[in-house]
Amino acid sequence: AFNFLSTVKENKKMYGARDIRKADEANALNRKVNHQAKDKYLRIIKDNWIRNVPFTVGDVRRSHDIHGPPIPPIKGRTRYQESQRISDAHDIIQIPKQMYDNLKHVTLCVDFYFVNGVEVFHFISRKIGYRTVSFPINRTKSTMLSERNDIFKIYNSRGFKIIEVHADNEFEKISKDILPVRMRLVGTDEHVPEVERSIQTQKNDCRAMCHAMPFKCIPRVMIREMIAQSNTFLNAFGNSESSSMNLSPRNFIDNLPHIDYNDLKYEFGQYVQLHVLHTFTNNMKNRTIGAIVLGPNNIRGRYNYMSLETGSKVN
């Protein structure tokens, strides 16, 4: 995919008026000669295939720095590339026995919170510090139990046992349904400190991501993915206790290794041209669509996107 994040207005601040004028001339000429790809256009100018051109190869490169790669050749000439094969998970991250014995009985802290009107159901475990987020459609008893069952399965799959859940009074209605797991409730108008601190951390991450993007309005699908990405990286990096053990919550519960640098390809909110498949290729339909990067899919080299044509999420 081809990505764009910086705006043209911001890019132009890096250059003088003459440089901008010459870059615009280079951009205009490329549109007149059938939207040549970058490397080919550079070769055309360098080898003087067009006489009396009033700008240089440097101006062409500068036009790409300011305006980014031209969209028409990307839409018209992009070829399909097969996805890389997902490697087999041969290695299981081993947790030292003494450490496992200390952590195997898990206490969960839970609460709801909102980000720009998007409701989030949040769990964090004591000691391990593993976080989960989900986006329920309501706060009924059945929804709480369904979310709770999904979380318990995640921990049980790695041999951990949930023994307690700490929550506020809103969760009293499911206290009997989750037995033999004990429900500990805080007093009226009080909150569980661990989950409150975790919520603050996630909201701070989301604010930082918002201020890094040039958008004035962010749709709900981006808000949800922003929260999910914040949660994923918090699990991947852990806290000071995790650092001392050299094992992150991601290692403990997801059984995934540390993040690979090569899997971090895009920044959240980048504008990309995303390849689309067509049954027939002998027509004039565009080969790519505009999309916004939503975030890595569990940080394994695959990303989610938001289509700018439909506004829906694309995996």
Side-chain angles (χ1 to χ4, degrees), residues 25-268:
E25 289 178 5
N27 213 25
L29 179 61
N30 192 19
R31 293 197 297 268
K32 295 173 183 177
V33 295
N34 202 27
H35 305 282
Q36 301 300 320
K38 178 181 178 181
D39 292 340
K40 186 175 181 180
Y41 189 42
L42 286 170
R43 179 170 56 82
I44 289 170
I45 301 303
K46 180 181 178 181
D47 295 341
N48 293 319
W49 288 104
I50 302 176
R51 295 179 298 159
N52 300 321
V53 172
F55 50 82
T56 66
V57 169
D59 294 319
V60 176
R61 291 197 175 97
R62 201 170 294 114
S63 73
H64 284 84
D65 292 339
I66 294 174
H67 298 281
I71 300 298
I74 295 174
K75 285 184 173 290
R77 299 190 180 101
T78 300
R79 296 180 181 178
Y80 174 69
Q81 296 179 353
E82 291 188 6
S83 303
Q84 294 182 351
R85 181 177 180 271
I86 299 175
S87 58
D88 297 329
H90 295 297
D91 299 328
I92 296 177
I93 297 174
Q94 298 292 337
I95 304 172
K97 186 178 185 303
Q98 184 177 358
M99 189 182 298
Y100 172 73
D101 290 340
N102 183 44
L103 299 174
K104 65 181 179 181
H105 294 135
V106 177
T107 296
L108 292 180
C109 303
V110 58
D111 203 355
F112 287 97
Y113 70 96
F114 289 86
V115 176
N116 277 22
V118 174
E119 189 169 19
V120 186
F121 194 24
H122 180 43
F123 278 93
I124 182 172
S125 56
R126 283 184 171 178
K127 295 184 179 180
I128 298 175
Y130 182 79
R131 297 169 166 89
T132 59
V133 291
S134 58
F135 308 99
I137 58 175
N138 53 49
R139 300 165 76 157
T140 62
K141 179 178 178 180
S142 60
T143 298
M144 289 183 181
L145 289 174
S146 176
E147 297 291 341
R148 168 263 184 197
N149 292 336
D150 292 340
I151 301 304
F152 279 30
K153 288 176 183 177
I154 293 173
Y155 284 91
N156 293 339
S157 67
R158 284 285 279 168
F160 293 92
K161 183 179 180 180
I162 312 298
I163 59 169
E164 280 189 353
V165 175
H166 292 194
D168 58 29
N169 287 325
E170 182 179 5
F171 292 86
E172 183 178 8
K173 53 191 171 188
I174 65 170
S175 58
K176 294 182 179 180
D177 297 272
I178 67 173
L179 290 173
V181 177
R182 296 189 299 271
M183 174 75 77
R184 297 284 184 93
L185 301 175
V186 297
T188 304
D189 296 329
E190 293 183 356
H191 299 280
V192 181
E194 291 90 347
V195 73
E196 283 299 302
R197 284 195 296 270
S198 180
I199 291 171
Q200 290 174 8
T201 301
Q202 289 189 336
K203 287 187 175 182
N204 290 341
D205 280 4
C206 290
R207 289 191 194 98
M209 294 164 68
C210 281
H211 287 289
M213 295 183 292
F215 311 127
K216 295 182 179 179
C217 181
I218 302 177
R220 283 177 175 252
V221 64
M222 288 186 68
I223 294 293
R224 288 192 289 268
E225 290 296 313
M226 187 187 303
I227 297 166
Q229 174 168 312
S230 168
N231 188 80
T232 300
F233 279 112
L234 287 171
N235 284 335
F237 300 142
N239 50 31
S240 56
E241 293 181 8
S242 304
S243 300
S244 65
M245 298 182 293
N246 198 31
L247 286 173
S248 68
R250 165 188 168 100
N251 302 145
F252 277 116
I253 307 301
D254 291 332
N255 190 32
L256 293 174
H258 293 324
I259 298 172
D260 190 326
Y261 171 82
N262 296 312
D263 290 336
L264 300 175
K265 300 176 181 178
Y266 305 115
E267 181 180 348
F268 188 95

Side-chain angles (χ1 to χ4, degrees), residues 279-294:
T279 306
F280 302 100
T281 58
N282 59 348
N283 53 40
M284 293 296 106
K285 287 185 178 180
N286 55 304
R287 299 295 182 89
T288 63
I289 60 172
I292 299 294
V293 176
L294 294 182

Side-chain angles (χ1 to χ4, degrees), residues 11-22:
N11 291 340
K12 284 185 175 182
K13 292 180 181 179
M14 306 296 292
Y15 300 98
R18 181 189 179 281
D19 292 335
I20 295 172
R21 187 179 71 255
K22 292 294 183 181

